[in-house]
């Protein structure tokens, strides 16, 4: 099993974020779960990769050539794939992974998570998507998504596809037991 982790290329303003990234990388390695991520050495991305490597885990990075040129690539990974674009990066990361987890991060983290969640919703894959809600980081987003349901722009079932937990072990258990949605019958597609 491999989990794709989306997280920041910065450390964030609270030390808890770095500790959570270290803990999650270590947990993945100890559980024999490979880490797929964006291939960078900076911020929480680098922290989660370094922790997984230090615990003996396999780490697979995917990074665009432009970022390699900027010298932000992590050079000590199990495998580092260099691609031409962000689109190729996201597609390869999705192909390499059996599930997706967002740790704290910025617009790139959110964009990547929302894309794979949308793909899940539309039936392009059946892999679990989740938030590791470190110290309530994602509480405002969770509240917003719940309000999107209330406002009629998101179905309850689609909302339920995005898992979240503040405990990494429980979150991994939820990812392991997740069973993707069945393909919707044609008559229900208008309700997407």
């Amino acid at each position: 099993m491999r989990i794709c982790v989306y997280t920041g290329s910065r450390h964030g303003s609270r030390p808890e974020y770095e500790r959570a990234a270290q803990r999650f990388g270590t947990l993945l390695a100890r559980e024999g779960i490979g880490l797929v991520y964006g291939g960078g050495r900076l911020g929480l991305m680098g922290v989660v990769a370094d922790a997984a490597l230090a615990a003996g885990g396999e780490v697979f990075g995917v990074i665009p050539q432009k970022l390699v040129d900027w010298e932000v690539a992590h050079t000590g990974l199990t495998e580092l794939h260099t691609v031409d674009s962000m689109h190729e990066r996201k597609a390869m990361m999705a192909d390499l992974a059996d599930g997706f987890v967002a740790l704290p991060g910025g617009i790139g983290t959110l964009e990547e998570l929302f894309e794979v969640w949308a793909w899940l919703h539309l039936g392009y894959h059946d892999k679990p998507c989740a938030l590791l809600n470190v110290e309530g980081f994602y509480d405002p987003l969770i509240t917003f998504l719940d309000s999107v349901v209330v406002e009629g722009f998101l179905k309850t079932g689609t909302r339920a596809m995005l898992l979240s937990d503040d405990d990494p072990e429980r979150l991994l258990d939820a990812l392991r037991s997740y069973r993707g949605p069945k393909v919707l019958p044609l008559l229900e597609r208008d309700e997407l």
Side-chain angles (χ1 to χ4, degrees), residues 32-152:
I33 298 170
L35 167 66
V36 176
Y37 85 116
R41 62 177 174 77
L42 304 176
L44 296 184
M45 289 175 60
V47 170
V48 72
D50 287 341
L53 290 166
E58 290 188 319
V59 180
F60 305 88
V62 184
I63 192 166
Q65 183 63 50
K66 182 175 187 173
L67 297 182
V68 172
D69 295 343
W70 289 355
E71 300 181 351
V72 299
H74 195 304
T75 58
L77 306 179
T78 308
E79 290 180 17
L80 180 64
H81 302 273
T82 303
V83 295
D84 291 328
S85 70
M86 291 295 284
H87 295 292
E88 289 177 74
R89 178 196 214 182
K90 292 184 296 180
M92 182 178 278
M93 289 167 69
D95 287 343
L96 290 171
D98 300 302
F100 310 93
V101 175
L103 274 65
I107 60 172
T109 300
L110 294 172
E111 185 266 340
E112 290 167 327
L113 174 72
F114 273 78
E115 184 170 62
V116 293
W117 183 26
W119 292 350
L120 174 62
H121 163 71
L122 294 172
Y124 285 100
H125 69 79
D126 62 357
K127 303 171 185 180
C129 300
L131 302 168
L132 181 55
N133 192 16
V134 178
E135 297 291 322
F137 179 83
Y138 283 114
D139 285 351
L141 177 61
I142 291 167
T143 298
F144 170 72
L145 293 173
D146 291 342
S147 74
V148 174
V149 172
V150 170
E151 296 299 328

